[in-house]
Amino acid sequence: MDFFERQRQVKRLSARLVLLFVVAVVGIVAAVDLAAAFAFRSFQGPVSELVTTVVVASIATVAVILLASLFRTVGLRAGGGGRVARDLGGVHVPEDTTDLRLRRLRNVVEEVALASGVPVPEVYVLEHEPGINAFAAGWTPADAAVAVTRGALDRLNRDELQGVIAHEFSHVVNGDMRLNIRLIGLLFGILFLAIIGRTFLRASVFGAGRRRDSGGNPVVIVGLALLAAGFIGLLAGRLIQASVSRQREYLADASAVQFTRQASGIAGALKKIAGLPDGSQLRSPKVDEVGHLLFGPGARLSALFATHPPLIRRIQVLEPSFEPAELRELAQRWSAAPPSGIAEDVALGLSGPGEAAAQAPAPLPAPGAVVSVRPDEVTAAVAAPTPGSFRRAETLIDKIPDRILARARRGDLATPLVFGLLLSEHPDVRASQLAVLAARHGEAAGQAVATEADDLAGLHPLLRLPLAQLAFPALRVHPIAEREELIGSVDALIRADGRISVFEYALSRLLHRDLYEATYNAPPWRVHRRTLPAARPAVLTLLAVLAQAGHRDPGRAEKAFRAGVTLVLPGESVPYVPPQQGVLALDSVWPDLDGLGSRDKERLVAAVTAVIGDDGTMTVEEQELTRTVCGMLRCPLPPMTELPA
């Protein structure tokens, strides 16, 4: 199943979720209405009294459910994925951590994020959970968080941890997270009545202590009814979780295997869950809310309510020859000597200096080299990272000097590093840029950026944008005012010489979107719902900019432009008019293009790759521009495999 079909499936699942929620609410309302009618003896009076009781009880019940759901959803929206992790006792893993296990975890998350083409998420550890589990949560990739339990950190080796993280990232890139976090809000609403019911019963018991006869007390009946309604809500919630979760877990397992180039990692993690006493269970009392988010089942449930497929079945899908007897042998071995992930890493040669994989990374091409490209391969790669994508990400990170990586991961040093990436090599332009920085941040800050730029001068062009993206998480921790000042300074730097390069545009816009969405859970523009014909001006502007940026010869640029138009607006004859603003013309297209449906985005991405790859090659700038366009359209594109042309 490709990314765009997955988007359509998520939309269908969202519709099913709403339907199931409505059915659950109807059942709960019916139970409360019946109890209210008995409590207030409405069956014994006129029909009008019964109708009034039912209407009032129905409105009150629906209002409580909706308000509770809204309250929980708004709370989650304010904190993003990190809020979910913290609610479960998660502890944030600092970007610059030096703890061996935590550094290994962050390294894996960074590699998988870069290979997926999505922002690096916040990382959390559920310190008091000995079971092996993980989840990803958030409204958008920019405010996502990935959390693992202490058990996963201690028991899984690097390959297994990588498989689990890749599984969770499949939920990030495929749009499952938004559905999952909405489900948390809806479940809270239908479970909230049980909380009210317990409150009513406590009040009635307290009151009964001061009254000799509490028989017929309607408060007791209502309290019991609300508890019963809460139980109905619990059953309905678990059925809803099960109905939207099981098949997605098979898909995420398959994505992780495709991504990490081997099935043994994720299969090994599942075997440890099945063979160790703690399994994947969570001790948190909020496990019912998040069961559908988790890598493995967070609680022991019957098959009817299970949020995940059976572990044995998941293992056998990955390793068809696996037999349950093997699991019993593993369980016996682990009962005597529980596995240690770090020790297994050493034995398998998966760790070494700097916690790097033992395998030597592939060399980068010459800085000015072009690479072969087939447009259909680029389109197929959207949100579908391959083993080549992962190796590519490993290579990119490994080729960045450790001293530079360390600064990218520190909140106080990441800002001058990003500024340093934007300083021009031309003395006059650099002087103008440093004057801008001195005016906005002071002379000392300007000098620090100049020093940073000198250290970055020899960095391979292919490493510059990935380095900036690795620094984004450290920038997110700054207060909102500092983030806004950072975005303003970046914009001033790239405009200092009166022209904006592809790299400058890519870094500035990706940074702006990342920081804005991490703060407000929404893009930095008002999205306009459009079809391709309605978005025609924006489509033509995008294709013209791509043709202009990728082909210096006007004739070849026009040919590439027409190749894209043929795919996205067939039958139209449109003149090629390169925008005078260059890449800045793209700022006007995002509100319309971001609002396209999945089928239209699929066609548009095909047109984008047709324009860029019309001559069969890609430069570094074209790769940066393609990834930026796909990122702005929420169609994450992994690093493209480098093949010398």
Side-chain angles (χ1 to χ4, degrees):
M1 181 182 299
D2 66 22
F3 168 73
F4 299 102
E5 176 55 35
R6 178 66 184 145
Q7 296 293 293
R8 292 188 281 274
Q9 186 192 66
V10 169
K11 189 173 182 179
R12 291 192 293 269
L13 277 174
S14 298
R16 184 199 299 178
L17 174 59
V18 172
L19 177 62
L20 291 172
F21 177 71
V22 169
V23 171
V25 169
V26 169
I28 293 169
V29 168
V32 173
D33 286 349
L34 186 62
F38 276 111
F40 297 102
R41 298 182 173 87
S42 298
F43 287 115
Q44 301 173 10
V47 173
S48 59
E49 182 180 330
L50 176 61
V51 171
T52 300
T53 300
V54 168
V55 170
V56 171
S58 298
I59 293 174
T61 304
V62 171
V64 167
I65 292 173
L66 293 182
L67 287 174
S69 294
L70 180 63
F71 173 81
R72 182 65 169 142
T73 301
V74 169
L76 293 171
R77 179 175 288 277
R83 172 66 181 271
V84 179
R86 292 189 294 273
D87 282 353
L88 291 170
V91 177
H92 181 251
V93 178
E95 287 75 18
D96 58 348
T97 181
T98 56
D99 178 276
L100 178 60
R101 286 179 172 82
L102 299 182
R103 183 71 263 159
R104 179 183 67 155
L105 172 62
R106 284 212 65 97
N107 286 352
V108 169
V109 170
E110 288 176 353
E111 291 166 4
V112 177
L114 198 60
S116 303
V118 298
V120 179
E122 289 185 316
V123 183
Y124 288 83
V125 173
L126 308 183
E127 287 287 2
H128 304 296
E129 297 290 356
I132 297 173
N133 224 319
F135 66 84
W139 290 98
T140 68
D143 81 331
V146 170
V148 303
T149 59
R150 171 52 67 174
L153 207 58
D154 291 342
R155 301 301 179 202
L156 301 183
N157 63 45
R158 197 182 199 279
D159 276 350
E160 293 164 346
L161 185 63
Q162 192 180 85
V164 171
I165 297 299
H167 172 105
E168 295 307 321
F169 264 80
S170 75
H171 293 310
V172 175
V173 297
N174 286 321
D176 292 332
M177 287 193 314
R178 197 175 188 89
L179 177 67
N180 286 341
I181 207 165
R182 281 174 175 163
L183 182 52
I184 292 177
L186 296 181
L187 290 177
F188 182 81
I190 60 180
L191 296 175
F192 187 66
L193 290 177
I195 300 174
I196 298 177
R198 285 196 295 268
T199 303
F200 269 54
L201 285 179
R202 290 193 188 102
S204 65
V205 169
F206 177 75
R210 296 181 298 180
R211 295 191 304 270
R212 294 187 59 185
D213 181 16
S214 60
N217 183 357
V219 174
V220 176
I221 299 176
V222 172
L224 289 172
L226 290 175
L227 274 180
F231 180 71
I232 294 172
L234 177 62
L235 295 182
R238 287 180 171 170
L239 284 172
I240 291 172
Q241 286 177 315
S243 70
V244 301
S245 296
R246 292 179 191 170
Q247 191 59 35
R248 293 184 308 166
E249 295 307 310
Y250 284 126
L251 291 173
D253 287 348
S255 295
V257 171
Q258 173 184 308
F259 192 2
T260 59
R261 66 191 179 274
Q262 39 86 13
S264 60
I266 193 167
L270 291 169
K271 290 173 186 177
K272 287 180 178 176
I273 288 175
L276 289 170
D278 290 314
S280 58
Q281 310 302 303
L282 294 189
R283 296 176 175 178
S284 170
K286 297 185 177 182
V287 64
D288 285 335
E289 279 191 12
V290 300
H292 58 288
L293 270 70
L294 302 173
F295 172 75
R300 291 183 173 87
L301 300 171
S302 67
L304 177 63
F305 299 114
T307 54
H308 293 67
L311 286 169
I312 290 294
R313 178 59 184 150
R314 288 175 71 182
I315 296 170
Q316 289 175 334
V317 168
L318 300 168
E319 295 182 4
S321 62
F322 183 79
E323 295 293 337
E326 298 177 53
L327 190 59
R328 291 192 289 272
E329 294 175 6
L330 289 171
Q332 290 177 355
R333 184 200 311 167
W334 290 331
S335 65
S340 164
I342 295 295
E344 289 181 10
D345 283 351
V346 174
L348 295 170
L350 297 175
S351 64
E355 208 292 290
Q359 191 174 16
L364 293 172
V370 296
V371 296
S372 299
V373 63
R374 285 178 49 190
D376 58 330
E377 290 180 350
V378 177
T379 307
V382 171
T386 63
S389 307
F390 197 83
R391 286 192 297 270
R392 187 85 184 102
E394 289 177 327
T395 297
L396 292 173
I397 294 175
D398 186 77
K399 291 294 184 181
I400 299 173
D402 289 342
R403 69 182 188 281
I404 295 177
L405 266 182
R407 297 200 297 273
R409 291 165 173 158
R410 281 185 52 176
D412 58 334
L413 299 179
T415 297
L417 181 141
V418 169
F419 289 159
L421 285 169
L422 294 170
L423 282 199
S424 173
E425 296 179 355
H426 193 284
D428 292 340
V429 177
R430 176 174 289 206
S432 298
Q433 291 175 315
L434 291 176
V436 168
L437 288 173
R440 298 176 71 98
H441 301 278
E443 292 289 345
Q447 187 56 49
V449 172
T451 302
E452 190 71 62
D454 291 339
D455 194 31
L456 295 169
L459 198 65
H460 194 291
L462 277 170
L463 302 178
R464 297 174 71 82
L465 192 57
L467 173 61
Q469 291 174 300
L470 291 173
F472 288 177
L475 301 177
R476 291 189 207 123
V477 302
H478 294 318
I480 294 177
E482 290 186 23
R483 294 184 220 171
E484 293 176 346
E485 178 65 24
L486 168 63
I487 292 170
S489 296
V490 165
D491 194 58
L493 284 177
I494 66 177
R495 295 176 184 270
D497 61 351
R499 60 178 298 274
I500 297 179
S501 69
V502 167
F503 170 73
E504 290 173 333
Y505 186 83
L507 189 155
S508 63
R509 289 341 184 234
L510 290 175
L511 173 64
H512 185 196
R513 178 156 196 167
D514 184 278
L515 294 184
Y516 192 94
E517 287 199 349
T519 304
Y520 302 108
N521 302 313
W525 50 73
R526 184 178 180 85
V527 175
H528 304 148
R529 298 299 173 190
R530 294 284 190 267
T531 61
L532 279 174
R536 182 178 180 277
V539 170
L540 296 177
T541 298
L542 171 63
L543 299 184
V545 169
L546 295 173
Q548 181 185 45
H551 307 277
R552 293 185 178 180
D553 177 73
R556 298 184 68 176
E558 182 171 4
K559 176 177 176 293
F561 172 77
R562 296 198 183 286
V565 172
T566 299
L567 284 177
V568 76
L569 296 170
E572 291 209 21
S573 178
V574 184
Y576 167 60
V577 182
Q580 293 184 352
Q581 315 98 297
V583 289
L584 272 182
L586 294 178
D587 284 349
S588 66
V589 310
W590 304 129
D592 285 347
L593 300 185
D594 196 14
L596 294 173
S598 61
R599 293 186 188 278
D600 285 342
K601 282 188 178 180
E602 184 174 14
R603 291 174 57 192
L604 182 59
V605 170
V608 166
T609 56
V611 173
I612 290 290
D614 183 63
D615 59 358
T617 64
M618 262 189 175
T619 63
V620 172
E621 282 193 340
E622 288 175 321
Q623 291 186 57
E624 291 173 342
L625 190 53
T626 304
R627 293 196 73 187
T628 300
V629 170
C630 288
M632 301 297 264
L633 295 177
R634 301 181 186 275
C635 302
L637 185 65
M640 283 154 279
T641 305
E642 296 285 337
L643 297 173

